[in-house]
């Protein structure tokens, strides 16, 4: 079958997960920069405080008020610097105007706090001015010296980010490549064209990244625009993905902009802890399915009795569906059709309302029982799939698992939807349910979900599902 040539032992659980938890690549360099800068800022702010004669550091008598005032000063400075991006890499940490603004704001706030909230304040405003001048001179000087020594060390080849460039020959603009080569905080580990991300070469490419400890990849838009799901491979490898600037328009999910030299590069940063979001999703699936199965067990029993009274046959309908990585599993549903429904389907293929024939849908399907129509109208027939969710064969939200008959009609590009855990509901279901009459439309919605997935998107889809079911939108 479809999964006969796939070794499931070598596959990770889901496109959005990782085999083993790991931290973001290049994190140590970034943390080291932030820690050193914060230490230098605190040290020289303390020196400016001491030399200006502000109370506390040189005092023989320490009081709670003095200690609180000193800690407030350090906290204000560091918080302002952090929120204004002065601990970020590159031009951000060299933003001397931003440093002056931050110190000025914190000094002004301290002055007003001392004036309005400190009883019998004896600190002259000239003392605050002296502290302000010392702080600006000391912090700016320390930043300058830090940059000087950092550049000196990087010229020797140390503490550089190891990067790789993926772009076809026509997309490798000479200016951008020269810019990356010029910036001494990058160590270029190699170049490749877009074919390195093709299915046949993908594992070799990412193994090379692991061997070379690559923490950032610069890629052209043309290399990834039609397969944005590849962002998950970088995301779950702990690799920060940066787009080479392009003239045309593009849409990159979860992207921010970072400046390198004088050029903005769209960036998808890897998470600090890789794979955490997916395992949080799985934990939610497990807890929700178990709790809901217990709570609605009386409804299960009631539906079972009604089905038995309505028509002869079993209570449950079990069918082979194609799940994660093409592996077949048994999906559970309440039976809504006559017992020989699958045999009758062959004679109904000519009435199929799905234009491309990949899916099979008939609005007034003669195989559906009276009770089945009611169950389908409110999607109650899907409730037993909570057991599939509980055992890990499905998720609450994801692309719907399709019958073997449908998957056998797939084109090669459609199989990417089998790289994520199938779900009870998804974008396809909340965007029209049975009103969709073309598999390509459903596939595009599945790809939108895969490329833009987040825990918040799952939550929105779940809430929208309840609304769609209650309103009976597109149900049949």
């Amino acid at each position: 079958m479809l999964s006969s040539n796939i070794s499931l032992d070598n596959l990770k659980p889901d496109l959005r997960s990782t085999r083993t938890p790991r931290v973001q690549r290049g994190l140590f360099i970034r943390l080291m920069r932030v820690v050193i800068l914060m230490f230098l800022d605190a040290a020289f702010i303390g020196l400016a405080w001491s030399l200006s004669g502000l109370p506390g550091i040189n005092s023989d008598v320490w009081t709670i008020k003095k200690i609180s005032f000193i800690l407030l000063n350090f906290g204000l400075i560091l918080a302002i610097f952090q929120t204004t991006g002065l601990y970020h890499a590159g031009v951000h940490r060299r933003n001397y105007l931003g440093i002056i603004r931050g110190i000025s704001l914190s000094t002004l706030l301290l002055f007003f706090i001392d004036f309005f909230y400190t009883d019998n304040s004896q600190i002259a405003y000239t003392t605050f001015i002296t502290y302000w001048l010392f702080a600006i001179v000391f912090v700016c000087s320390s930043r300058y010296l830090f940059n000087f020594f950092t550049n000196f060390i990087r010229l020797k080849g140390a503490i550089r980010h190891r990067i790789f460039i993926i772009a076809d020959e026509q997309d490798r603009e000479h200016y951008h490549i020269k810019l990356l080569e010029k910036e001494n905080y990058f160590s270029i580990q190699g170049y490749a064209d877009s074919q390195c991300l093709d299915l046949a070469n993908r594992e070799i490419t990412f193994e090379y990244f692991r061997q070379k400890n690559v923490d950032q990849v610069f890629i052209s838009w043309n290399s990834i625009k039609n397969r944005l799901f590849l962002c998950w491979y970088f995301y779950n490898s702990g690799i920060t993905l940066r787009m080479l600037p392009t003239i045309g328009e593009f849409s990159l999910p979860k992207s921010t902009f970072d400046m390198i030299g004088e050029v903005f590069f769209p960036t998808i940063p890897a998470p600090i802890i890789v794979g955490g979001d997916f395992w949080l999703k799985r934990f939610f699936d497990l807890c929700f399915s178990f709790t809901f199965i217990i709570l609605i067990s009386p409804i299960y029993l009631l539906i079972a009795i009604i089905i038995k009274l309505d028509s002869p046959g079993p209570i449950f309908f079990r069918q082979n569906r194609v799940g994660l990585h093409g592996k077949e599993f048994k999906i559970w549903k309440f039976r809504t059709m006559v017992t020989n429904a699958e045999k009758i389907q062959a004679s109904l293929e000519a009435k199929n309302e799905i234009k491309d024939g990949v899916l099979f849908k008939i609005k007034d399907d003669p195989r559906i029982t009276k009770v089945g129509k009611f169950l389908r109208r409110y999607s109650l027939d899907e409730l037993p799939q909570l057991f599939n969710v509980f055992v890990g064969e499905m998720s609450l939200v994801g692309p719907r698992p399709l019958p073997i008959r449908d998957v056998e009609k797939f084109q090669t590009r459609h199989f990417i939807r089998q790289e994520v855990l199938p779900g009870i509901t998804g974008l396809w279901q909340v965007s029209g349910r049975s009103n969709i009459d073309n598999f390509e439309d459903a596939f595009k919605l599945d790809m939108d979900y895969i490329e833009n997935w987040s825990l918040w998107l799952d939550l929105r889809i779940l809430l929208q599902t309840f609304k769609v079911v209650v309103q009976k939108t597109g149900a049949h």
Side-chain angles (χ1 to χ4, degrees), residues 84-96 143 258-259:
T84 53
L86 294 174
Y87 292 120
H88 292 177
V91 296
H92 300 286
R93 72 164 185 261
R94 299 190 292 270
N95 183 4
Y96 298 108
R143 289 293 180 106
D258 285 345
M259 181 175 283

Side-chain angles (χ1 to χ4, degrees), residues 77-122:
I77 286 284
L78 298 182
I80 291 171
F81 280 12
Q82 173 61 30
T83 54
T84 53
L86 294 174
Y87 292 120
H88 292 177
V91 296
H92 300 286
R93 72 164 185 261
R94 299 190 292 270
N95 183 4
Y96 298 108
L97 183 59
I99 292 171
I100 294 172
R101 287 173 179 168
I103 293 174
S104 300
L105 178 59
S106 67
T107 305
L108 192 62
L109 289 173
L110 281 175
F111 175 77
F112 281 116
I113 290 170
D114 177 69
F115 184 81
F116 288 108
Y117 297 101
T118 303
D119 296 332
N120 301 318
S121 175
Q122 298 178 350

Side-chain angles (χ1 to χ4, degrees), residues 97-225:
L97 183 59
I99 292 171
I100 294 172
R101 287 173 179 168
I103 293 174
S104 300
L105 178 59
S106 67
T107 305
L108 192 62
L109 289 173
L110 281 175
F111 175 77
F112 281 116
I113 290 170
D114 177 69
F115 184 81
F116 288 108
Y117 297 101
T118 303
D119 296 332
N120 301 318
S121 175
Q122 298 178 350
I123 305 175
Y125 73 90
T126 53
T127 304
F128 278 105
I129 294 176
T130 304
Y131 159 73
W132 173 72
L133 290 172
F134 279 151
I136 289 175
V137 172
F138 291 161
V139 173
C140 288
S141 298
S142 69
R143 289 293 180 106
Y144 178 82
L145 291 173
F146 176 83
N147 290 323
F148 177 81
F149 284 112
T150 300
N151 290 334
F152 177 78
I153 294 171
R154 281 177 168 162
L155 286 173
K156 302 294 182 180
I159 59 171
R160 292 191 179 197
H161 289 287
R162 301 166 74 86
I163 71 170
F164 193 87
I165 299 173
I166 299 176
D168 292 326
E169 193 65 37
Q170 66 271 18
D171 295 324
R172 293 185 192 174
E173 292 192 29
H174 184 73
Y175 170 73
H176 295 141
I177 302 301
K178 283 296 181 183
L179 173 64
L180 296 177
E181 292 173 344
K182 178 183 176 182
E183 296 293 334
N184 61 18
Y185 49 84
F186 291 136
S187 174
I188 300 177
Q189 301 301 303
Y191 305 84
D193 58 30
S194 59
Q195 291 182 354
C196 73
L197 295 178
D198 291 347
L199 182 60
N201 306 319
R202 201 173 295 156
E203 286 300 321
I204 298 173
T205 300
F206 279 88
E207 179 59 32
Y208 179 82
F209 292 161
R210 285 188 287 271
Q211 291 176 359
K212 293 293 186 179
N213 200 26
V214 171
D215 61 78
Q216 297 183 29
V217 168
F218 288 78
I219 188 169
S220 68
W221 174 240
N222 288 331
S223 298
I224 202 171
K225 65 180 180 181

Side-chain angles (χ1 to χ4, degrees), residues 236-465:
N236 289 322
S237 297
I239 297 174
T240 295
L241 186 64
R242 299 186 188 274
M243 297 296 304
L244 292 170
T246 180
I247 297 175
E249 294 184 0
F250 64 89
S251 175
L252 195 62
K254 302 180 181 179
S255 63
T256 59
F257 283 89
D258 285 345
M259 181 175 283
I260 299 174
E262 299 298 325
V263 180
F264 282 103
F265 286 75
T267 300
I268 300 179
I272 301 298
I273 303 297
V274 175
D277 282 359
F278 177 78
W279 293 113
L280 206 59
K281 170 186 173 72
R282 179 63 195 133
F283 178 75
F284 178 78
D285 284 345
L286 192 64
C287 293
F288 184 92
S289 59
F290 177 77
T291 303
F292 219 63
I293 287 170
I294 299 300
L295 290 177
I296 65 172
S297 53
I299 297 177
Y300 279 126
L301 181 60
L302 179 61
I303 293 175
I305 294 172
I306 294 174
I307 290 174
K308 291 300 286 185
L309 292 174
D310 177 64
S311 62
I315 295 169
F316 295 104
F317 170 73
R318 293 184 300 166
Q319 185 185 48
N320 281 347
R321 296 287 178 102
V322 182
L324 189 62
H325 304 307
K327 183 180 179 181
E328 292 181 25
F329 71 99
K330 292 281 188 183
I331 195 172
W332 287 74
K333 302 177 72 173
F334 282 120
R335 183 175 60 84
T336 59
M337 292 185 174
V338 294
T339 53
N340 61 342
E342 291 187 284
K343 294 180 180 179
I344 298 175
Q345 181 174 325
S347 63
L348 298 173
E349 287 285 353
K351 298 180 180 180
N352 189 0
E353 297 173 359
I354 301 298
K355 296 176 181 178
D356 51 21
V358 176
L359 306 177
F360 181 82
K361 291 283 183 181
I362 298 178
K363 187 172 184 179
D364 297 314
D365 197 323
R367 301 172 297 166
I368 300 176
T369 63
K370 292 179 180 178
V371 169
K373 289 181 179 179
F374 173 81
L375 295 178
R376 287 190 167 210
R377 184 176 299 124
Y378 293 99
S379 298
L380 295 174
D381 59 318
E382 311 284 358
L383 289 178
Q385 289 166 41
L386 289 171
F387 290 97
N388 292 113
V389 173
F390 184 73
V391 299
E393 294 170 330
M394 293 177 63
S395 175
L396 291 172
V397 183
R400 282 294 292 167
L402 298 178
I404 296 171
R405 174 255 180 217
D406 298 352
V407 177
E408 285 176 342
K409 296 178 180 292
F410 275 12
Q411 298 176 24
T412 302
R413 60 189 177 86
H414 293 151
F415 282 94
I416 187 59
R417 72 188 302 280
Q418 306 306 133
E419 296 301 305
V420 299
L421 206 59
I424 295 178
T425 186
L427 271 182
W428 169 6
Q429 284 67 41
V430 300
S431 300
R433 299 174 79 194
S434 299
N435 289 335
I436 292 177
D437 61 359
N438 190 308
F439 176 70
E440 283 300 324
D441 294 336
F443 176 69
K444 288 176 183 177
L445 290 171
D446 286 338
M447 291 307 299
D448 283 344
Y449 171 76
I450 293 170
E451 293 168 357
N452 296 283
W453 176 78
S454 69
L455 291 172
W456 288 113
L457 179 58
D458 272 7
L459 182 59
R460 289 199 300 270
I461 291 174
L462 282 173
L463 295 175
Q464 186 69 15
T465 298

